[in-house]
């Protein structure tokens, strides 16, 4: 397990307020923020949502480098959306005319506004989603899923997959390092051969570990349902956070 998720999950009882907040409260605020982002219109509300999400991520103690790295792809998508709208929409007054590839392309005020709205809406929505993803430990997310009637089998699958994805990656890195110490991956031919051996060993070890873990679960009383996800009452502090969060979203919507 690595990166921001390890950072969030490893904080234990000393987690900051924004990380320790109940997952159900966060999920309600996430849906409300996405509704504001989609319905407010204009540039102010999405930009305020992105700025607020960035500040909250920093306040939660998540490294900003991790947040910026994950925002790189949405920022690229927002840039592409902006550029395509500039050439696609022809509304408003003409601001600029460019000869390109034998065609005359005109940049209009309506196209610029449409492109900017689309770009900031992508940034605002992804900023809010990343805040939720980077500050919500998996147990809180699973409790919220169970509370909102998500099928138990999906919750259990998500829990097991989250755990064993990182174990599989660690096993793969361990096998690769062992191969490199035995002069694997020294050439293209050796790399192809080593990659094939690595894939085969991973499949065998994954199957073996799955069998051993299932036997261990049966020994601990597993009867087809995990009991690790339990619902608990929402603390008063979290109700206050929900109220403040909704008021903040109303203020952002009013400033659109």
């Amino acid at each position: 397990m690595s990166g921001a998720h390890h950072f969030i999950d490893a904080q234990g009882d000393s987690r900051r307020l924004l990380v320790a907040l109940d997952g159900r409260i966060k999920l309600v605020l996430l849906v409300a923020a996405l509704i504001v982002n989609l319905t407010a219109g204009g540039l102010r509300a999405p930009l305020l949502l992105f700025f607020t999400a960035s500040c909250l991520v920093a306040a939660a103690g998540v490294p900003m480098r991790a947040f910026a790295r994950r925002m790189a792809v949405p920022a690229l998508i927002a840039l592409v959306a902006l550029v395509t709208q500039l050439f696609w929409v022809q509304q408003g007054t003409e601001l600029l005319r460019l000869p390109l590839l034998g065609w005359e392309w005109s940049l209009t005020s309506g196209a610029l506004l449409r492109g900017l709205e689309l770009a900031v809406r992508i940034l605002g929505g992804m900023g809010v989603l990343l805040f939720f993803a980077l500050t919500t430990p998996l147990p809180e997310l699973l409790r919220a899923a169970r509370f909102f009637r998500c099928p138990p089998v999906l919750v259990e699958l998500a829990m097991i997959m989250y755990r064993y994805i990182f174990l599989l990656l660690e096993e793969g890195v361990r096998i690769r390092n062992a191969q490199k110490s035995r002069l694997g991956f020294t050439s293209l031919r050796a790399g192809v051969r080593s990659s094939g051996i690595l894939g085969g060993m991973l499949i065998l070890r994954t199957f073996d570990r799955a069998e051993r873990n299932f036997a261990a679960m049966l020994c601990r009383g597993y009867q087809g349902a995990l009991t690790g996800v339990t619902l608990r009452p929402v603390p008063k502090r979290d109700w206050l956070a929900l109220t403040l969060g909704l008021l903040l979203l109303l203020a952002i919507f009013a400033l659109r």
Side-chain angles (χ1 to χ4, degrees):
M1 198 180 300
S2 61
H5 291 283
H6 176 262
F7 171 78
I8 292 300
D9 290 337
Q11 290 190 71
D13 295 332
S14 61
R15 294 179 301 181
R16 300 189 184 189
L17 173 63
L18 289 173
V19 177
L21 200 60
D22 192 281
R24 291 164 287 184
I25 300 296
K26 280 186 181 177
L27 200 56
V28 172
L29 291 174
L30 170 67
V31 173
L34 291 179
I35 291 174
V36 170
N37 185 57
L38 291 174
T39 60
L43 305 178
R44 290 181 184 174
L47 285 176
L48 285 173
L49 282 175
F50 179 73
F51 177 74
T52 304
S54 303
C55 294
L56 292 177
V57 166
V62 177
M64 288 305 293
R65 187 172 55 183
F67 179 70
R69 190 167 60 245
R70 285 164 176 79
M71 279 301 298
V73 174
L76 181 61
I77 295 174
L79 179 61
V80 171
L82 170 62
V83 173
T84 53
Q85 291 300 308
L86 293 181
F87 292 100
W88 184 264
V89 179
Q90 295 295 322
Q91 295 177 352
T93 58
E94 185 176 279
L95 302 176
L96 187 64
R97 180 173 289 273
L98 293 172
L100 183 62
L101 301 176
W103 296 80
E104 286 286 336
W105 301 92
S106 60
L107 172 61
T108 62
S109 58
L112 181 60
L113 180 60
R114 173 68 178 167
L116 287 175
E117 283 183 351
L118 197 56
V120 297
R121 195 167 293 179
I122 292 173
L123 293 178
M126 286 307 301
V128 171
L129 283 173
L130 278 179
F131 164 71
F132 178 79
L134 293 176
T135 62
T136 306
L138 184 69
E140 289 296 333
L141 180 61
L142 296 181
R143 286 192 190 96
R146 288 292 299 274
F147 179 79
F148 290 107
R149 306 301 181 190
C150 182
V153 63
L154 294 182
V155 176
E156 293 176 10
L157 278 176
M159 182 190 302
I160 294 174
M161 287 172 63
Y162 181 80
R163 169 62 179 158
Y164 285 99
I165 281 175
F166 296 103
L167 287 179
L168 186 63
L169 289 175
E170 291 175 2
E171 190 72 25
V173 171
R174 191 179 299 114
I175 295 173
R176 181 181 171 83
N177 290 336
Q179 288 177 318
K180 291 174 72 174
S181 68
R182 294 179 176 85
L183 301 181
F185 299 99
T186 53
S187 63
L188 179 61
R189 184 175 180 179
V192 172
R193 184 172 180 273
S194 299
S195 298
I197 296 174
L198 190 153
M201 291 182 67
L202 265 184
I203 292 175
L204 291 176
R205 292 192 182 186
T206 302
F207 184 78
D208 180 62
R209 174 164 286 186
E211 289 290 331
R212 285 189 283 116
N213 286 335
F214 185 65
M217 291 167 66
L218 291 177
C219 292
R220 289 172 172 81
Y222 178 70
Q223 296 179 344
L226 294 177
T227 57
V229 179
T230 56
L231 296 177
R232 62 184 182 185
V234 178
K236 293 181 180 178
R237 178 196 62 183
D238 293 359
W239 285 114
L240 177 62
L242 174 63
T243 306
L244 294 177
L246 291 177
L247 289 175
L248 178 62
L249 291 175
L250 282 175
I252 291 176
F253 186 80
L255 292 172
R256 68 190 187 280

